[in-house]
Amino acid sequence: RFPPPPNPARRSAVLLTFGATPGRDVGELGDGQEVVLTERSSTLRAHAGQVSFPGGKIDPEDVDEVGAALREAREEVGLPPAQVEVLGTLPGHRTVTGFTMTPVLALVRGDFTPVPERGEVDEVFAVPFAHVCDPARYRTEARAWRGETRSYLVAPFGPYYIWGATARVLHALAQRVAAQVAR
């Protein structure tokens, strides 16, 4: 007998959005912009209090990952889809909690005042592009999880501990940006 196949990953999508630093216009992706992140509600059953992108599982009514990411961003932080210019998607990331998370890269056009959905989000904050796109800001840490020692990336910013899948996605973006700059 063969062992049963591993459980299939649940599909999810997140919106990795860049908006203008106050007082500047959004042009192309780059300096003078900030990444929008959330601190998940401390009352949630999964990932409580963690820093994350707006996003979540793909629902049956979602057309695709982009549709799911836009819907979740509207629900979690009040971002109107009409203000979002989708640039594309990054490769999916498998999480230790059983999700394949597709990051949708986008620009926020115009002024946007986040409105956190209190059941899911405690806070919405922004991190400068220069911070998240600098590979030197990342380091590896480890902790015990389910009886094993697990290593993970972190990129702390002020009082925010950006780690795990969120840091991994941002680090992958930082590596891509660094490779482009080096060309």
Side-chain angles (χ1 to χ4, degrees):
R1 286 184 51 146
F2 293 99
N7 291 335
R10 296 171 285 176
R11 292 174 49 223
S12 65
V14 296
L15 197 62
L16 198 170
T17 56
F18 290 87
T21 301
R24 298 176 108 173
D25 291 329
V26 171
E28 297 301 312
L29 191 60
D31 285 337
Q33 295 181 8
E34 300 175 318
V35 177
V36 177
L37 293 172
T38 69
E39 185 175 302
R40 294 174 49 86
S41 172
S42 57
T43 63
L44 289 173
R45 195 175 44 146
H47 308 287
Q50 292 182 6
V51 171
S52 67
F53 303 105
K57 67 182 170 80
I58 297 174
D59 288 344
E61 65 271 11
D62 294 323
V63 174
D64 56 14
E65 287 84 353
V66 172
L70 292 171
R71 175 186 54 76
E72 288 281 351
R74 185 187 69 243
E75 291 172 3
E76 291 181 7
V77 300
L79 178 59
Q83 280 190 254
V84 178
E85 178 185 343
V86 174
L87 302 174
T89 60
L90 297 175
H93 288 258
R94 181 78 189 245
T95 69
V96 297
T97 54
F99 286 93
T100 296
M101 175 179 65
T102 299
V104 177
L105 189 63
L107 294 174
V108 176
R109 298 288 183 184
D111 291 332
F112 165 60
T113 303
V115 179
E117 195 289 304
R118 290 292 167 208
E120 293 187 52
V121 176
D122 281 344
E123 183 180 357
V124 180
F125 63 98
V127 178
F129 181 88
H131 181 84
V132 299
C133 286
D134 178 358
R137 300 283 185 169
Y138 297 84
R139 67 178 186 264
T140 301
E141 292 185 356
R143 70 169 61 159
W145 189 74
R146 293 186 179 173
E148 296 180 24
T149 299
R150 294 236 179 211
S151 296
Y152 54 92
L153 285 170
V154 300
F157 178 74
Y160 304 105
Y161 187 70
I162 303 168
W163 71 287
T166 301
R168 198 165 13 122
V169 167
L170 291 172
H171 185 252
L173 178 63
Q175 290 178 312
R176 290 178 92 163
V177 169
Q180 289 296 322
V181 170
R183 286 185 187 182

